[in-house]
Amino acid sequence: MIKSKSLFKYLAWLLAVCAAGAAMVAAGVYLYLSPKLPPVATLKDIQLQIPLRVFSSDGVLIGEFGEKKRTPVTYDQVPANLIHAILAAEDDTFLEHHGVDLKGLLRAAGELASTGSIRSGGSTITMQVAKNYFLSRERTFTRKFTEIMLALQIDQQLSKEEILELYLNEIPLGRRSFGVQAAAQAYFNKDVADLDLHEMAFLAILPKAPERYGRTRFADL
């Protein structure tokens, strides 16, 4: 019995030391990276890259030239069902969390520790906005921590609707299309507002693997 109590105290002490050490490391990284963070306020006036479009004299689109296909849309122009489908597929707690889903991050960290890879992700839509607009795609601890810090700031300074609008206009969806309007045109030759329910469901799964899913037979129906 005495040995059990001693073991319990030792484990509790060890856990407290580990928690304190992790907090010190996190604080140190924050102090190091914080002055280098880009200003989140610039997202309010961001100018999205769009392709060069050539029209005929009567207003008919002849062709597009550019690496990325994108037609920006406002949050109100995106069907509610498409937004609900994307939230369900990408970030089902988006409306509740403050930019970072701690449970998702802990789950991803557990997978990495046990299997050596991450299958369930852990990035929220807000974190993806931070990555897509400010960061590279390198897989390093520093970049991930910067992404988390930016996501927390983005959630403080922008509304949920503004964050979603940025995400819906920038997310890569295959076939060189970026954003839901460009993807609706690329896959279905429709405006995003005119998509059928099954077409919205297809676009909602594309962020997981846009190049792979974009080559499926369904994408050409």
Side-chain angles (χ1 to χ4, degrees), residues 94-173:
F94 173 76
L95 297 176
E96 285 77 45
H97 65 62
H98 297 288
V100 176
D101 181 5
L102 293 179
K103 290 183 179 179
L105 287 178
L106 291 174
R107 183 173 61 250
E111 290 180 359
L112 181 62
S114 60
T115 67
S117 62
I118 298 176
R119 299 177 182 178
S120 62
S123 292
T124 63
I125 281 178
T126 315
M127 290 169 66
Q128 292 181 58
V129 167
K131 177 177 65 178
N132 290 337
Y133 283 89
F134 291 122
L135 305 173
S136 69
R137 294 188 175 275
E138 63 177 344
R139 294 177 177 271
T140 64
F141 172 80
T142 300
R143 189 201 64 76
K144 194 66 176 180
F145 201 88
T146 302
E147 181 182 311
I148 291 172
M149 292 169 62
L150 282 171
L152 293 171
Q153 291 189 11
I154 290 171
D155 190 81
Q156 289 180 342
Q157 298 185 35
L158 275 68
S159 68
K160 292 293 186 180
E161 290 79 10
E162 289 173 322
I163 295 170
L164 273 174
E165 183 174 309
L166 289 166
Y167 175 83
L168 294 169
N169 281 313
E170 178 63 19
I171 189 68
L173 295 171

